[in-house]
């Protein structure tokens, strides 16, 4: 018998927010980055997810020397706190050059900006001793379909990925699919698209997916199946666990907060397939409720981590023989009742 997986958790500093939303400003006092790092361990997290400019604020205005000095400072801060940088993601959705997308922008100058910014992001990842870059294709898509040549857009995405693989011989690229928001319709809406890009790239073993629960739900898909698809191709770099209450704006609710059974099945697929055994993190991407008092607010992170671990127990105590029996008998009515009773802690 193999010993049970000891899961390790991560989140990004943006998960500790000041509470602003599109309809109103910050309602909590700002909490500086350095102080955020000191919170991770106390909350039970050892991995940190970064945007490039979380590491190097004002990145576009920095000289290469300033950029690397700042990254070295953050590396020291991480080491001091005993934290591991899980990934660095190029923030390709704030700058004026990324209004119409980044790698798929119609303007050649804007595409060049995106490529250049991505190289800086890889340099920062290397300076932190971090092996992965995450591509969330935020503005790669359109508000109206006639705005771009979609076939050319996919060619440009693949060329950009290949350029990253060439730039650094070791870095992994984890694509985080999302079907919409901020664009009306995005390119690479599902992990199937990401896995296809991976196989088409010049180093398929270095291109993987990062699956966010809410993004899969927004695509009308079951997140556990998206995870299983990536796992079947050994391409699940990481996850962004959270929840989503139907087809509306990207909610980033607490893991299991909208649908406990859907959350259970994500944990089940991860646990049954040995996710985490090679050091993969259980990443969270969760927004605190705007209504929550205090600064910083961290209850949402604690709650989602706790819920994950409670569901791990539910997976480990599932009677596998009984499940097999129900499957063999094709008695899915009985299987469903068993699963629901198990989740509710009710004896038959
Ligand atoms: C937004 C995404 C975003 C990414 C983050 C890392 O919908 O979930 O938060 O996860 O920028 O790339
Ligand atoms: Mg995310």
């Amino acid at each position: 018998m193999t010993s049970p997986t000891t899961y390790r958790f991560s989140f990004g500093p943006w998960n500790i927010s000041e509470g602003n939303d599109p309809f109103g400003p910050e309602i909590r006092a700002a909490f500086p980055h350095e102080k955020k790092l000191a919170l991770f361990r106390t909350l039970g997290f050892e991995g940190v997810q970064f945007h490039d400019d979380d590491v190097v604020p004002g990145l576009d205005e920095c000289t290469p020397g300033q950029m690397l000095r700042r990254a070295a400072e953050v590396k020291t801060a991480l080491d001091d706190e005993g934290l591991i940088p899980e990934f660095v993601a190029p923030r390709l959705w704030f700058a004026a050059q990324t209004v119409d997308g980044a790698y798929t922008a119609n303007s050649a100058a804007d595409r060049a900006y995106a490529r250049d910014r991505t190289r800086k992001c890889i340099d920062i990842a290397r300076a932190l001793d971090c092996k992965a870059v995450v591509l969330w294709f935020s503005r790669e898509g359109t508000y109206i379909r006639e705005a771009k040549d979609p076939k050319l857009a996919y060619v440009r995405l693949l060329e950009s990925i290949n350029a990253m693989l060439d730039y650094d011989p070791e870095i992994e690229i984890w694509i985080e699919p999302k079907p919409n928001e901020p664009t009306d319709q995005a390119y690479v809406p599902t992990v199937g698209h990401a896995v296809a890009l991976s196989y088409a790239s010049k180093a398929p073993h270095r291109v993987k997916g990062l699956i966010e629960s809410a993004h899969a739900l927004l695509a009308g898909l079951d997140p556990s199946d998206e995870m299983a698809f990536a796992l079947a191709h050994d391409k699940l770099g990481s996850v962004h666990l959270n929840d989503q209450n139907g087809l509306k704006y990207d909610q980033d609710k607490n893991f299991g907060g909208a649908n406990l059974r859907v959350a259970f099945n994500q944990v089940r697929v991860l646990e049954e397939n040995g996710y985490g055994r090679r050091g993969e993190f259980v990443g969270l991407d969760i927004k605190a409720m705007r209504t929550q008092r205090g600064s910083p607010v961290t209850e949402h992170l604690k709650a989602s981590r706790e819920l994950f671990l409670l569901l791990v127990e539910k997976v480990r105590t599932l009677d596998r023989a009984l499940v097999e029996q129900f499957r063999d008998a094709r008695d899915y009515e009985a299987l469903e009742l068993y699963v629901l009773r198990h989740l509710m802690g009710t004896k038959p």
Side-chain angles (χ1 to χ4, degrees):
M1 274 259 308
T2 46
S3 55
T5 311
T6 305
Y7 289 102
R8 47 183 205 165
F9 297 85
S10 68
F11 69 85
W14 67 90
N15 284 207
I16 297 179
S17 78
E18 278 77 61
N20 60 313
D21 69 13
F23 308 98
E26 284 86 4
I27 38 82
R28 292 186 273 271
F31 200 73
H33 259 300
E34 273 72 13
K35 287 197 178 172
K36 285 184 184 172
L37 289 186
L39 294 172
F40 275 71
R41 281 275 177 184
T42 61
L43 295 168
F45 292 78
E46 61 183 292
V48 186
Q49 313 164 7
F50 285 109
H51 294 122
D52 49 9
D53 57 4
D54 292 330
V55 182
V56 183
L59 178 55
D60 284 341
E61 284 74 48
C62 281
T63 63
Q66 287 169 329
M67 176 183 86
L68 293 176
R69 268 195 300 283
R70 173 66 194 153
E73 283 166 20
V74 173
K75 168 87 178 107
T76 305
L78 287 166
D79 290 346
D80 289 349
E81 297 290 343
L83 295 171
I84 298 164
E86 185 191 10
F87 67 71
V88 185
R91 199 193 295 274
L92 291 169
W93 53 95
F94 270 19
Q97 295 93 326
T98 58
V99 168
D100 190 29
Y103 313 119
T104 69
N106 282 330
S107 145
D110 291 347
R111 291 198 304 278
Y113 164 85
R115 296 275 193 101
D116 182 56
R117 175 78 182 228
T118 306
R119 284 190 290 273
K120 289 181 183 167
C121 176
I122 295 174
D123 292 341
I124 291 170
R126 295 308 300 244
L128 295 185
D129 213 4
C130 168
K131 66 161 191 171
V133 157
V134 163
L135 297 182
W136 167 47
F137 289 133
S138 47
R139 299 193 190 276
E140 313 292 11
T142 57
Y143 297 100
I144 61 163
R145 250 6 194 178
E146 300 83 359
K148 287 180 188 168
D149 174 340
K151 184 171 167 229
L152 181 60
Y154 275 110
V155 168
R156 284 179 169 156
L157 286 174
L158 183 58
E159 284 172 355
S160 304
I161 289 167
N162 280 334
M164 294 173 72
L165 295 168
D166 278 342
Y167 183 68
D168 187 296
E170 283 168 1
I171 204 84
E172 290 194 3
I173 301 168
W174 299 346
I175 299 172
E176 180 178 347
K178 183 177 180 182
N180 60 276
E181 200 196 74
T183 57
D184 174 41
Q185 299 201 70
Y187 301 131
V188 195
T190 73
V191 82
H193 294 74
V195 167
L197 278 171
S198 163
Y199 284 125
S201 77
K202 49 169 59 174
H205 63 289
R206 291 200 281 136
V207 183
K208 301 179 178 169
L210 180 154
I211 293 167
E212 173 160 329
S213 325
H215 297 180
L217 291 163
L218 284 170
L221 299 170
D222 183 284
S224 74
D225 272 0
E226 287 283 274
M227 289 171 192
F229 182 82
L231 285 163
H233 294 269
D234 197 14
K235 289 192 184 300
L236 188 57
S238 191
V239 291
H240 267 174
L241 299 185
N242 57 18
D243 213 344
Q244 173 73 26
N245 198 11
L247 295 181
K248 47 186 84 158
Y249 64 96
D250 181 15
Q251 293 186 296
D252 297 342
K253 290 169 81 74
N254 285 335
F255 183 55
N259 192 327
L260 210 46
R261 186 173 175 189
V262 169
F264 164 75
N265 280 313
Q266 290 169 71
V267 179
R268 187 174 59 76
V269 163
L270 294 175
E271 165 82 2
E272 286 177 352
N273 292 290
Y275 181 83
R277 287 186 176 276
R278 288 179 294 179
E280 302 96 327
F281 280 95
V282 175
L284 304 180
D285 194 0
I286 301 179
K287 281 195 192 79
M289 293 182 214
R290 191 167 193 266
T291 43
Q292 195 65 9
R293 290 200 164 94
S295 175
V297 294
T298 54
E299 289 81 1
H300 57 306
L301 298 164
K302 270 186 289 190
S304 295
R305 178 182 177 279
E306 181 180 334
L307 211 279
F308 179 90
L309 290 171
L310 287 171
L311 288 174
V312 168
E313 269 323 291
K314 286 289 171 191
V315 173
R316 288 182 182 164
T317 53
L318 197 69
D319 185 339
R320 261 150 237 287
L322 194 58
V323 171
E324 279 314 314
Q325 217 175 294
F326 290 139
R327 283 181 181 176
D328 287 346
R330 220 172 65 199
D331 191 353
Y332 305 142
E333 296 286 358
L335 176 58
E336 176 160 90
L337 185 60
Y338 166 63
V339 168
L340 293 178
R341 277 187 178 139
H342 181 67
L343 283 178
M344 295 175 77
T346 313
K347 295 272 171 272

